[in-house]
Amino acid sequence: MFTDKQSFKQGVLEKLKNMQGKTPARATALDVYKTLGALLWEPAMENWIATRKRYREQGLKQAYYFSMEFLLGRLLESNLLNLGLLELCREGLQELGFNFDEITAAEPDAGLGNGGLGRLAACFLDSLASLNLPGHGYGIRYKYGLFEQRIINGRQVELPEYWLRDGNVWEIRRPEEAVEVKFGGCVSYEQVNGITILHHEDCEVVRAVPHDIPVIGYRNNTVNTLRLWNAEAAGNERCAALGCYRRVVDYKKALESITELLYPDDSNDEGKLLRLKQQYFLVSAGIQDIVRGVKTRCGSLERLHRQAAVHINDTHPALAVPELMRILIDEEKMGWEQAWEITTKTAAYTNHTTLVEALEKWPVGLFQPLLPRIYSIVEEINRRFCAGLARSFPGCGPEKQGRMAIIGDGVIKMAHLAIVGSHSVNGVAALHTEILKQREMNDFYAVYPEKFNNKTNGITHRRWLMMANPLLASLVTETIGPDWIRQPERLAGLAAHAGDPSFQDRLHEIKRRNKAALARVIWEKNGLAVELDSIFDVQVKRLHPYKRQLLNVLHIMDLYNRLRENPGLEITPRTFIFGAKAFPSFYLAKNIVKLINTVAGTVNHDKRVRDLIKVVFMENYGVSLAARIIPAADLSEQISTAGKEASGTGNMKFMLNGAVTVGTLDGANIEIMEAVGPENIFIFGLTAGEIFNYYLSGGYCSWDLYHRDPRLKKIMDGLVDGSLPVPGDEFRPIHDHLLAHNDEFFVLRDFDAYVKAQQAAELAYRDRRRWLAMCGRNIAQAGQFSSDLTVARYAAEIWGIRPGRRLRRRKQFPAAESARAVESQRVSRRSS
């Protein structure tokens, strides 16, 4: 392990020669990146081994976070930061003649996620390690990720995401710890000496091989594990039986397809089957791994729930419940009641959505043949659950039982399975949790009120401030000291400086430098010059109609129309920045991508608007691109339909970097407003309650708004009358979505309020001192949305895990106490 800059440089030169066979003059950025990765393995591996030993010797209960996504981003800079080597490495490489930014850019973003769900999981792993908490992740090692997005003629085109082309520096393949996962076949039972023996024959056996990635805590010598499973053919016996070499190759490809793509297209039965295979593959491999570890440490599984916490991140890993039951009953020979008690005390479930299509339901006809034993267990769970309802809740009649049943109407309801099989069910923002309790899951809340709780999402402030915005991080440390790095709630100390002109001037200069850096990226990628004094108005997130990128682009079209009608109109220049991926089979979402790019091409080339507005679509949005965009943003667009966004975490990243939010009363926006005060955020639009009442009453008609508001009529007509340089029917699906299908997400209904909020934001931006004070107050209140505090509450209130005795808890693990204090303040604000 190098201890100073000189030993670091020597280590780089030796590794470069021994690994790559190159001198510094011939080395590429990729060569140096791989060299640095190898150089960091020594300190990481030493701490990794020591961490596992400490957990084992102290008998610590450990948490296991199951998620279909882990959106890690690049790891080199993050690992250097957490090891305390970032500046030493940056300076040493510069002295060797290497450009640090070029080297970090050589690392591909890991293709392991898509949106907020995966980024949250990555933030949680970072916080677990940084808090010295025994917690790990289980995921899938996708070969091609979701997809690489390209914009060609304004349309999204999907290409394979070859993130593993040059290997993965940060992983270790551990074939000796592989497990087998079985699909299909026939299940039969045999009585031998009074013991029921289960036989699973003629099944398809897939070998799940783990690839481990170290999760390095912030300067605390703790290294946890993200274990990713890769699907491989199990042995050569089955291959030999196929005879033909071509059939062997096809067979291996079919098995390995399980881990090729994140979220395969499920618009047909073949895609649905593959998705279901992925989900069971993940949980079966992970649960088997946990059971093996606990049995090695403890000898039996009778106290499994005191040794392990299994967390189900959204409904995708809900099959962890019946899989654990299968192992306890079939392999450990436990009775149902004992197995069920252990399972429900071990599992916990986080719900991330109220969207019906995201609460997964699997057709029985698809599920049963693929997972025959799991189906029989789910069927028994459902039978006992419904019988218990009838016995313990006399008022729960057949209709209510039918609504709550895990199996009904020919489908298996995964959210119901997760609720029934878990001891904790949490939402991810105060509003979201109340919607679950009072509406979406009210039947279950009436039966299990003790299970339901809220854990508002959070972000790792080290990545999203120290890494993404080092200039701002330095200003914060100079102003209030470094304690905020380990105790993010200390950021509140900045509030006293938000009105200080000298602090504001430095904040303004940092923002301008970040905007200049992003402007260079926009020029390089899009060939578009943007004005640094314009408002950088940013909406970057997964593209879905409820997130309402449409509302944003309709506002741009209205602003463009006004500028054409009144060439002398005085407005503050704006640069509208979008970044989003639409799922390949989601035609409406892809049509919105096309609309944004069509409007961008029209506006950006029209000299009549005098460069007062520019529109930019940044292709292939991901973590690394987000780290360039977010620090440069002035205005953060969080404009989802109220009641649809569970929490959001982009809103937290933007406020941490000094952007001001324009948003609806949805998800964590409400808690952000409570934290910063209504004068430091721009809130607009219908509330979740008002929208729900519209759904119930059917009292909303988008055609009425079309006829009543001439701005909307002109915009909507412009979609289909040839005003845009596309065939007349190109945007007919969007036109029909908003009018013929009555605007499901209330885009037109909130349009006027949104325009007024944008005008208020522009007015505030013109008052530089007022705007910078708003920015400073947002940064000051962002600490309470750190994932450190969120994870500390999960650890204390759901998982029951604690850090090792090596730490002096009061000084080095204040997060649980801080989290409880922050939550108490939120409750107090809401009550008042």
Side-chain angles (χ1 to χ4, degrees), residues 283-301:
V283 300
S284 179
I287 294 295
Q288 289 184 66
D289 196 42
I290 293 169
V291 164
R292 177 173 57 192
V294 172
K295 287 186 72 174
T296 300
R297 295 194 301 270
C298 304
S300 77
L301 300 180

Side-chain angles (χ1 to χ4, degrees), residues 147-153 155-159 590:
F147 60 83
E148 181 179 343
Q149 182 192 55
R150 287 287 174 260
I151 302 300
I152 300 176
N153 296 325
R155 300 184 189 279
Q156 172 179 293
V157 175
E158 303 92 19
L159 302 174
K590 294 177 75 169

